[in-house]
Amino acid sequence: MVEIKDMLGDRFITRYDGRKVDELRPVRITRHFTDAPEGSVLIECGSTRVMCTATFTPSVPRWRKDSGLGWVTAEYAMLPRATSERTDRDSVRGRIGGRTHEISRLIGRCLRGIIDMKALGENQIQLDCDVLQADGGTRTASVTGAYVALVDALRWAEEHHHIKFADKVIKDCVSAVSVGIVDGTPMLDLPYLEDSQAMTDMNVAMTGAGEFIELQGTAEHRPFTRDELDTLLDLAAKGNKELQTAQRAALAQD
Amino acid sequence: MVEIKDMLGDRFITRYDGRKVDELRPVRITRHFTDAPEGSVLIECGSTRVMCTATFTPSVPRWRKDSGLGWVTAEYAMLPRATSERTDRDSVRGRIGGRTHEISRLIGRCLRGIIDMKALGENQIQLDCDVLQADGGTRTASVTGAYVALVDALRWAEEHHHIKFADKVIKDCVSAVSVGIVDGTPMLDLPYLEDSQAMTDMNVAMTGAGEFIELQGTAEHRPFTRDELDTLLDLAAKGNKELQTAQRAALAQD
Amino acid sequence: MVEIKDMLGDRFITRYDGRKVDELRPVRITRHFTDAPEGSVLIECGSTRVMCTATFTPSVPRWRKDSGLGWVTAEYAMLPRATSERTDRDSVRGRIGGRTHEISRLIGRCLRGIIDMKALGENQIQLDCDVLQADGGTRTASVTGAYVALVDALRWAEEHHHIKFADKVIKDCVSAVSVGIVDGTPMLDLPYLEDSQAMTDMNVAMTGAGEFIELQGTAEHRPFTRDELDTLLDLAAKGNKELQTAQRAALAQD
Amino acid sequence: MVEIKDMLGDRFITRYDGRKVDELRPVRITRHFTDAPEGSVLIECGSTRVMCTATFTPSVPRWRKDSGLGWVTAEYAMLPRATSERTDRDSVRGRIGGRTHEISRLIGRCLRGIIDMKALGENQIQLDCDVLQADGGTRTASVTGAYVALVDALRWAEEHHHIKFADKVIKDCVSAVSVGIVDGTPMLDLPYLEDSQAMTDMNVAMTGAGEFIELQGTAEHRPFTRDELDTLLDLAAKGNKELQTAQRAALAQD
Amino acid sequence: MVEIKDMLGDRFITRYDGRKVDELRPVRITRHFTDAPEGSVLIECGSTRVMCTATFTPSVPRWRKDSGLGWVTAEYAMLPRATSERTDRDSVRGRIGGRTHEISRLIGRCLRGIIDMKALGENQIQLDCDVLQADGGTRTASVTGAYVALVDALRWAEEHHHIKFADKVIKDCVSAVSVGIVDGTPMLDLPYLEDSQAMTDMNVAMTGAGEFIELQGTAEHRPFTRDELDTLLDLAAKGNKELQTAQRAALAQD
Amino acid sequence: MVEIKDMLGDRFITRYDGRKVDELRPVRITRHFTDAPEGSVLIECGSTRVMCTATFTPSVPRWRKDSGLGWVTAEYAMLPRATSERTDRDSVRGRIGGRTHEISRLIGRCLRGIIDMKALGENQIQLDCDVLQADGGTRTASVTGAYVALVDALRWAEEHHHIKFADKVIKDCVSAVSVGIVDGTPMLDLPYLEDSQAMTDMNVAMTGAGEFIELQGTAEHRPFTRDELDTLLDLAAKGNKELQTAQRAALAQD
């Protein structure tokens, strides 16, 4: 990561949890976390913990019927006490919050981005990402974990002869990571404390080939420059590469 | 359990999982399962797994203001793939299902039944019971686990000087267990397979003193007699005693 | 009722309305209360008044199609000024309250408990219980009244050749009554004033054969003992027997 | 009714229920129908039966605070089997239907039209009109019945010293009736059978002074002429006069 | 307009915008306001501006299938800042307000009143009336504008061979106008300022033949007499005649 | 635009509407489009037409009280026939769609990104962006138009002494534009036809200083490379610069 070193120069940055600016939090991926789903993964990125399940259904929604194509969709939700203050359930409020909607849609797009819908055939995969504990980066952890659950569901579908080759359905792997600018310094993988004071905050989903699936950068506190963007993208590329190594390692086990 | 033996006589009953008719499934209670809540418990009863969190708030709902009394309330929910078929989220359907409502209210009543509202003072405890995996008895496991989370939240409140003595707030412990009649035989702690074919199905919440807090028996397939009821209550008493031993053991650890 | 006398010994209990502890409020069942429904009953238990209608439909909900089985379901609601304080309509609040849901489900289970779904065939009966005036025991009055409306609807269906024999569809009669412990004394059929101060409150639905369909006991204020439970069940048995006599008398008229 | 005779000339019109074209259905007004509300009226117009309750609250909605003025509002609803086909409850559908909304608003306007809001002071009256049985004219019966319930609630408020003089609050009486053109013939007070085949259908609310509060005419099948309108208004004037006689008679009793 | 002059006698009435009591605000009808809809009209009545679109669908709702008849329906809505104070969106509040419902239904009935459903065949037309700016008379402007959009949609359908003759589907034209009594004086076409202080307010939809489709008069502040009604209807007849001239002129252009 | 020329080399790209790949559609900004709002703008980008209003309220939402800071929020919606197929209203479906939520939030963030909340003081600005006609780029047109409405509302607030200096509240201007890769070619400002077949689609909001406020890139059909991203950002920078010229021109008029 030449660029990052250059940018920071000799300045010595201490993050509150002792990590370097380009260092991920510890990642742990547990497959077969629960028994019922076709894919069930617990992903832990530092203190953030998301349960990702994949449900395989041998049919598609009505609007997709007779297209020969499959469908992948996602729903994201947070348990009420995933956060330090309790948040009311969407079901109690009677409507899904805008943030929930937005994240669900993001996860769905990321996973659809690496699926060959024709190879999937008229089958549907529903990804449920439920945050048990939230410490920043819940949406990116969801993408990274959901990919593993998706692969498990496709392997299950192959075994049960719903699809021919799971491998042909998956065009590449996908992971996501957050990056941001805190106190003027671009950083990788922000926990809540850093995220809440970031000037800019960006979520980047990338394929194994290093290409982008989703890129969402927001500057509520201070606009960011093209140079800052470049550094953030370098950090994200590094982080995603490491997350994909963790995904491969988890999927290699049995 | 003299009565049960008597009733069954010499008949040899094999349950599909090898248990005796008056035997609980293995119980495991993990405290401090997540970090944010004042009380956070994972309870596992066989394959049923429920995450119970307790949120302490130093105030009460508006209708309870200036009463000098506290309040305890509960919400129950199931993750979409807790079950073998995926169920739609209440939030997506835009309304809380009747079953969810009913169970939330049951859990709330059970916990309120052992709390001294005066000693609690104008503080509120919200219990959230989220089923990660469902294999029968999710509502009773919720009660049993929520009690432990509630105690932890009260201990936290004592430490943080919101209440004086946690012990004075809790009048007794409470646990709950399901019993039912399967193929004519009364049984303790039904997993889904037995529950779905039970003629009668009963949930019994009891205090440490062996008294009843809640009793809900339903006969969709065949009415039950007073004698059968007596046997079911004996089984429930035995099961609850054992669950309370597990609660105490968990709370003794640090 | 030997047991009750025994328990109370020589103590002289005066209920505020002059009834004995094991005495029902006056019951009045008016059939054909309105013209449109296949079954239409006004049941009055003391000041509690519930209008119960039964709607017969010669088809079943989609999930029940091609099962050869019928379906019975119930909805309970209270008019806004059934109570001394006006309560907002569920329709205005945009969602059905938890209590309403819970009671609707209870009534449905009670009635399903005495119906032979095979004999009913692929027909549905919807029971609507609308409380015109509430003075305690509205859910139990609903069960008792709905049974009569159900029989009328089945007789109508027999006359109109939708089913062969109404009598074969109904396996037994069902009624329900509330019992509770007020000031330490178990009592039958609690009006609102007693109900609101009861330590324990139980609803018991029984068949004509004296068996249980539903049993729901709750102790918000003080747990109840096994002995108290036994007394309550004796009271409930007595009350249900008398309610069933009233049902039979109403159904004998033409 | 000179005009009506003139218009019909010698033509002999037989209505299916034997009434003359300018004849009301039998009206019956029962006060104190239930005990809890400040005003409680059952009004029967032929087979149409509406329960009208009036709730007096010694305060006004927030937007009306400190205006020195009172408020009157109304809610209309139909029980599911008021009609020959069961209609789903608004609460189950999760939203109030357009027709329900429209009628609730109409009733509210009619009653507000005869109330002196200043004399009422900062008090609110909520009228609930629940249709037990529907055979045409449910909204007009609601207006006519709600007026009587309103008077009772105001008398109650006078007795309980919430207002000084009930009589000063009520500027005039109000009643409503439906008229319509069936097969080319203008008629008074249409039951469902006539209403459903009417070319034009009009609801007319009038004061005791014979002036209009609300006039709603609709021609779904055939536009109506100015002459027809005049005849309809004559019929409505006659009907409302008779309904007001019935109101006065009911209110004279004690 | 003999009657109006007579009634006002020599009194000289100045309306705040300089109009005479029987004078319409300037009307402007712009066809083809947007490109996508089959009919798209912007109608301006003074400062009131409503965008009316007509959507032609070659099928009918399920309940209308196989009837051989078409269907016409309407939806009315106001943009949040059509008014001087911002009003919350119905979508944000999660439910359609009563006023919105009432007006949508009114518009639908008016348009259905001039359509030959048989000639339309099993086709549906949905009218959307969205108020861009509100200065009184939005519902009547919606009716007047929707008629023009409807005609355009039918002409489109004729061109695209969905229907044979647009002219046979339309039995007559329809327009609507508001009238009201302000300070004791009957007036035509009330802007918001007059409307908000009107004692009586009436909306009148009439056909080209001068007959009534809808008549809705409301007296929140003071009942109105039969004589006043007659004057109001004269004013409405004059106004509608002029609006229909504007409709014809707009439809004559190409 | 050196980079773009370079990338495309000699290849001659014809867009279906004759534009060059780095050419915006014609932009037209009409201020004071309606009278009631403090800011009211019609923005037209090609066939896309969005009405943007800004509502100034001299107070903030409750959660923002006593912070000394202002608030800016936005709501986006589409009229039913903005599109070639009619879409149901959110209000009719009873819930706001995910896409609507997502876009509303995006617009809000963009505008907040250039506001000095301290200088705004405890005042709120609500932006309503209603799409009258949709031909791609509705969310970016909304941002660009909402900025102009926002400035007008702040000028109004300055004139009416709610704020001191409108210019101090606005830190910079903001506009947004869409870019995408169609058939392998990066292009600026995609209309619906191009957008629907784009491999990658990106929305870029930038300040007058050329910095980023929001960056949202999505690759549903094919991931995009870092090089492609760079070209897209160049195109977006060019487009935004031109849009800001149009904003300035509109705001210079009076």
Side-chain angles (χ1 to χ4, degrees), chain E residues 206-228:
Chain E
M206 297 178 80
T207 62
E211 296 180 329
F212 299 101
I213 296 273
E214 276 280 333
L215 191 64
Q216 296 205 343
T218 292
E220 286 232 10
H221 298 294
R222 203 206 63 186
F224 53 101
T225 64
R226 185 85 174 245
D227 280 349
E228 287 171 331

Side-chain angles (χ1 to χ4, degrees), chain B residues 25-26 74 76 92 117 148-149 167 170 194 203 208 220 229 244:
Chain B
R25 291 179 287 178
Y76 165 98
V92 168
M117 291 297 175
V148 178
D167 285 0
I170 305 161
E194 290 173 357
N203 295 295
E220 285 233 9
L229 172 61
Q244 289 162 7

Side-chain angles (χ1 to χ4, degrees), chain D residues 49 115 157:
Chain D
R49 272 194 254 171
I115 289 295

